[in-house]
Amino acid sequence: MNSQFDQNDTQKLEPGEISERSSFVRWLDNFWYHNKWAVIVSVFFAVVLIVCLVQILGKTHYDAVVSVVVAATPDSGQKENIEALLSKLCPEDFNGNGEKQVCLRSWQVYSDEEYKDEKESAEAESQQFSLNAKYNEDELKNFQQYVTTGECSVCLVSPFIYEQLRSGSRLKPLGEVYGADALPAGAMEDGYGIALSGTDLYTYNEALYTILPDTTILCLLKPTVVGDSSKEENYQNYVSLFRALADYSLSE
């Protein structure tokens, strides 16, 4: 009995230790009472800052972005193949990070005529084809909004989208791009786009001709007042990329 009592007694805190701990707890309670909101806000902003830094540092910095807006958009594997081709043809490492990387952004948009043709083609083969009108409308709006950001200048689009861009004065005339130089093969009569099917780029590159419709048009947007294209150096990089694609020749 005595040995058990002695053992338990030695485990008790000394009065000084209790007083010191109690003072710390009281100080902590007092600090939290007067500063809890400042601490909560500080922690919140610290977490947001850390998340933003992780995203910024981990983000891939591309040399250029190319937009694709057609009825049949590429899947992930096809997208990688097109990106690899565009990166290979990119004339320079614009951002100087040691490698050429072009990013492909795509939107799936059907015109009324394209929907009608697709539906009739499916029915001829005893199949069904339906279109989610809301999704189609949202995709069109998303692309239209993206155009205003100036984050992309080179586009591969359907005739429907091309006409919208041209009539909206969003396209750079080929005459201003080429100056005194001859226009490339596939140049359209209206002077604003390149019929992709008339180019070596489309004819001899499987990554394109097996994925994009033969009605696809290559075009260059005008610079904007915001975004990458608002900066002269960046926009000239896009002009260089556009010409590298339009002027691509198998004989080179």
Side-chain angles (χ1 to χ4, degrees), residues 118-127:
E118 191 76 24
K119 189 171 185 297
E120 291 178 350
S121 177
E123 290 175 348
E125 298 180 8
S126 300
Q127 297 177 351

Side-chain angles (χ1 to χ4, degrees), residues 48-92:
V48 171
L49 178 61
I50 292 172
V51 171
C52 290
L53 286 174
V54 169
Q55 291 179 339
I56 292 173
L57 294 176
K59 181 180 178 181
T60 301
H61 296 282
Y62 296 101
D63 292 286
V65 177
V66 172
S67 292
V68 171
V69 194
V70 293
T73 55
D75 59 30
S76 58
Q78 294 169 335
K79 178 182 175 182
E80 290 178 1
N81 291 336
I82 296 177
E83 285 180 332
L85 174 63
L86 298 179
S87 298
K88 178 182 177 181
L89 297 179
C90 186
E92 294 180 42

Side-chain angles (χ1 to χ4, degrees), residues 90-126:
C90 186
E92 294 180 42
D93 173 18
F94 296 134
N95 61 18
N97 68 348
E99 58 182 331
K100 297 187 297 182
Q101 288 183 292
V102 175
C103 173
L104 193 72
R105 294 204 60 175
S106 62
W107 293 263
Q108 184 177 30
V109 178
Y110 280 87
S111 66
D112 291 341
E113 189 65 29
E114 287 170 328
Y115 167 64
K116 179 182 177 182
D117 291 343
E118 191 76 24
K119 189 171 185 297
E120 291 178 350
S121 177
E123 290 175 348
E125 298 180 8
S126 300

Side-chain angles (χ1 to χ4, degrees), residues 64-66 86 89-91 94 153-156 162 171-178 183-185 187 191-196 199 201 217-221 235-248:
V65 177
V66 172
L86 298 179
L89 297 179
C90 186
F94 296 134
S153 297
V154 178
C155 298
L156 293 163
Y162 174 78
L171 298 180
K172 185 82 167 176
L174 296 178
E176 295 181 12
V177 176
Y178 282 86
L183 297 183
Y192 287 91
I194 308 290
L196 201 61
T199 67
L201 175 68
I217 301 171
L218 172 66
C219 54
L220 181 69
L221 299 174
Y235 187 72
Q236 289 307 315
N237 289 340
Y238 275 109
V239 172
S240 297
L241 175 60
F242 175 82
R243 289 201 56 165
L245 301 180
D247 299 342
Y248 173 88

Side-chain angles (χ1 to χ4, degrees), residues 109 140 143-144 158-171:
V109 178
L140 177 58
F143 171 68
Q144 291 171 335
S158 68
F160 170 64
I161 297 298
Y162 174 78
E163 183 55 33
Q164 285 201 340
L165 294 172
R166 190 188 65 80
S167 62
S169 300
R170 291 295 300 118
L171 298 180

